[in-house]
Amino acid sequence: MQPDIQAFFDPVTWTVSYVVFDQPGGHCAIIDPVLDYDPKSGRTKHHSADVLIKFVRSKRLTTDWILETHAHADHLSSAHYLKQELGGKTAIGSRIPGVQQVFKKLFNMGADFQPDGSQFDHLFDDGDTFQLGELEGKAILVPGHTPADLAYQFGDAIFIGDTMFMPDVGTARADFPGGDARQLYHSIRKLLDNYPPETRLFMCHDYPPGDRPVQWESTVADQRADNIHVHDGISEDAFVTMRTARDATLDVPMLILPSVQVNVRAGQMPPAEDNGTVYLKIPINQL
């Protein structure tokens, strides 16, 4: 059985979220949902998440899973809000505690924050399978962008997070804490060498060059033939040299500081302080 897939593009963060379901009236998973955040005012809104909710309810779907491919640095997750509205279990890769430990130190998180992954309802190991109604899902470990990245497979579709982008954009950066360009190369080859050419690959972002319309779906064959960073014939050493040099030129993502604090908490904000206000920290001269 192949999944039904509905994509939702957020033009502010260039993020693509997905609802994957077995059939109308059946069961769904939501992948990489966005919480709207204004960095100028510090205000959050739920417009993007409410669009997902409206779709899920229109199809009469039961939400089983809210899946994160990794702790994103470019948008805040609405997983906690969606869980409150739709139910379901939040999940991420089982290596997330390593990421949490790094950012607990950076943000000097208090004793209430335990870097053990317990903020999520479930942690997936590489190769774990799970049910989505009549569909079977599979978690695929793809570290490199961060040490905890996962891809999720349903039938002939794999949601690859930030491993690769569309072929004319290339691959994700590997210079975040715990990132590793060699690991990223091996994760990409894991996807491209072990799945049939017609396997559909769904991106978490698109940054289209020129005036190309936004796109988020390619295939293993497309990527092997045309990915500008990692097409067939690009060696590991050549990729690492390119990726390292390119990463050194990239700016820090605009929302990394607010987003990571929320995303390592499974989309929850930090606890309110004694005045009842929630604060996000901005460490100075640390990144």
Side-chain angles (χ1 to χ4, degrees):
M1 184 177 185
Q2 301 303 338
D4 281 316
I5 300 167
Q6 182 65 47
F8 299 85
F9 178 69
D10 174 43
V12 176
T13 63
W14 303 91
T15 301
V16 190
S17 306
Y18 298 94
V19 176
V20 183
F21 58 105
D22 58 350
Q23 57 191 328
H27 296 258
C28 76
I30 299 171
I31 302 176
D32 291 335
V34 172
L35 178 70
D36 305 306
Y37 174 75
D38 179 4
K40 298 185 295 296
S41 66
R43 290 192 173 273
T44 61
K45 295 182 180 179
H46 297 120
H47 171 74
S48 295
D50 287 339
V51 171
L52 300 178
I53 292 169
K54 182 178 180 180
F55 177 82
V56 167
R57 290 176 174 164
S58 74
K59 296 293 184 180
R60 298 173 286 106
L61 300 171
T62 297
T63 303
D64 290 350
W65 295 97
I66 303 168
L67 305 173
E68 302 285 3
T69 54
H70 61 293
H72 305 273
D74 41 40
H75 69 271
L76 282 68
S77 170
S78 61
H80 182 64
Y81 173 73
L82 290 171
K83 180 180 175 179
Q84 290 178 317
E85 295 294 316
L86 296 174
K89 296 179 179 179
T90 57
I92 201 167
S94 61
R95 294 188 180 183
I96 191 63
V99 176
Q100 291 175 321
Q101 288 169 5
V102 169
F103 288 108
K104 177 172 183 173
K105 181 178 180 181
L106 176 65
F107 294 110
N108 195 30
M109 295 176 177
D112 63 291
F113 180 81
Q114 295 299 314
D116 58 6
S118 60
Q119 298 79 8
F120 296 84
D121 296 314
H122 190 82
L123 303 181
F124 284 115
D125 289 319
D126 186 30
D128 281 354
T129 59
F130 55 98
Q131 287 304 123
L132 188 64
E134 297 184 26
L135 290 171
E136 181 177 83
K138 179 182 178 182
I140 305 168
L141 181 65
V142 285
H145 174 61
T146 81
D149 282 55
L150 281 187
Y152 296 100
Q153 180 183 11
F154 299 91
D156 69 343
I158 305 178
F159 299 84
I160 62 173
D162 285 10
T163 54
M164 288 177 286
F165 303 129
M166 293 301 293
D168 59 355
V169 179
T171 60
R173 66 194 300 165
D175 60 337
F176 292 153
D180 185 280
R182 290 191 184 277
Q183 279 192 334
L184 181 59
Y185 180 87
H186 287 289
S187 293
I188 291 170
R189 296 317 311 185
K190 179 179 182 178
L191 295 171
L192 299 186
D193 295 341
N194 292 308
Y195 291 91
E198 65 273 15
T199 302
R200 295 183 292 162
L201 303 178
F202 289 86
M203 317 296 122
C204 185
H205 300 283
D206 188 33
Y207 307 102
D211 58 358
R212 171 174 68 72
V214 173
Q215 299 173 352
W216 46 75
E217 180 181 349
S218 66
T219 65
V220 165
D222 294 336
Q223 297 284 359
R224 293 187 66 166
D226 297 323
N227 188 290
I228 59 173
H229 294 164
V230 73
H231 60 75
D232 285 355
I234 299 292
S235 70
E236 177 181 343
D237 286 344
F239 175 80
V240 170
T241 297
M242 177 282 302
R243 190 69 265 167
T244 302
R246 179 171 173 77
D247 288 350
T249 70
L250 299 178
D251 291 335
V252 174
M254 182 175 67
L255 295 181
I256 187 172
L257 292 175
S259 65
V260 171
Q261 294 176 73
V262 172
N263 296 343
V264 296
R265 291 181 165 97
Q268 297 185 68
M269 292 289 170
E273 298 195 8
D274 57 11
N275 63 354
T277 300
V278 171
Y279 293 90
L280 294 173
K281 295 182 177 180
I282 304 296
I284 303 301
N285 298 327
Q286 294 300 304
L287 293 185

